[in-house]
Amino acid sequence: ALRENSQLSTNAAFYTLLNAWQTLQLGIKSPRGQLMHERLRADSHSFRDALTVFFESRLAEKTENADVAKHFAMSIPGLFKRLARETDESPMRLLTRLRVARAKALLMQGESLAIIADRTGFWDAYHFSAVFKRWTGASPRNYLKGLFPSSV
């Protein structure tokens, strides 16, 4: 009986270690739903960087503060406080800045406004143009004219 008990204990330890390794290496979700390696990364590195990686992976998706807080296993006020330690941007302002930066790259590749809006999470081409102008001071067309005066 003692030998069986120690074998069970060894097996339990092995599976506990295997589970921890899978969680860190493979990104298996914890019972709370967040990817454990992302949670660890958010705790040990710049939270703003972890948030940027999260946003860049889902620029085209509708994202709200509640989604972000849930992903990082924190409350919405906790999300704002954590980000405020590193920057003066709100989560949605950071997301919009990243979307506009991606849109600039897509504009230079010659993509249409509708495609850019779709790939960067804006409602439509009109919404994209309005937000782009608010952030850059120029419409998408005028922005391109400023970069390439003779080609547009």
Side-chain angles (χ1 to χ4, degrees), residues 16 29 46 74 79 91 99 115 119-120 138 143:
T16 300
K29 293 188 180 232
S46 164
M74 55 179 54
L79 171 69
R99 285 178 169 165
I115 290 174
R119 290 186 184 170
T120 54
Y143 177 80

Side-chain angles (χ1 to χ4, degrees), residues 75-142:
S75 66
I76 293 173
L79 171 69
F80 277 82
K81 287 177 188 174
R82 181 77 188 264
L83 190 57
R85 289 185 214 147
E86 298 180 32
T87 181
D88 61 350
E89 287 183 310
S90 71
M92 293 302 107
R93 186 169 174 81
L94 174 61
L95 175 60
T96 303
R97 187 172 51 75
L98 293 170
R99 285 178 169 165
V100 169
R102 174 76 55 85
K104 287 178 181 179
L106 292 171
L107 271 173
M108 289 190 277
Q109 293 173 10
E111 296 291 349
S112 72
L113 297 184
I115 290 174
I116 293 171
D118 185 56
R119 290 186 184 170
T120 54
F122 295 101
W123 300 328
D124 55 24
Y126 178 78
H127 179 234
F128 160 65
S129 294
V131 172
F132 189 89
K133 186 171 185 176
R134 191 175 330 127
W135 276 76
T136 65
S139 68
R141 181 176 175 85
N142 289 338

Side-chain angles (χ1 to χ4, degrees), residues 22-40:
Q22 287 174 332
T23 300
L24 291 171
Q25 296 299 316
L26 304 176
I28 294 173
K29 293 188 180 232
S30 73
R32 292 182 72 184
Q34 77 272 13
L35 292 175
M36 290 302 293
H37 71 276
E38 290 184 16
R39 174 70 177 167
L40 292 171

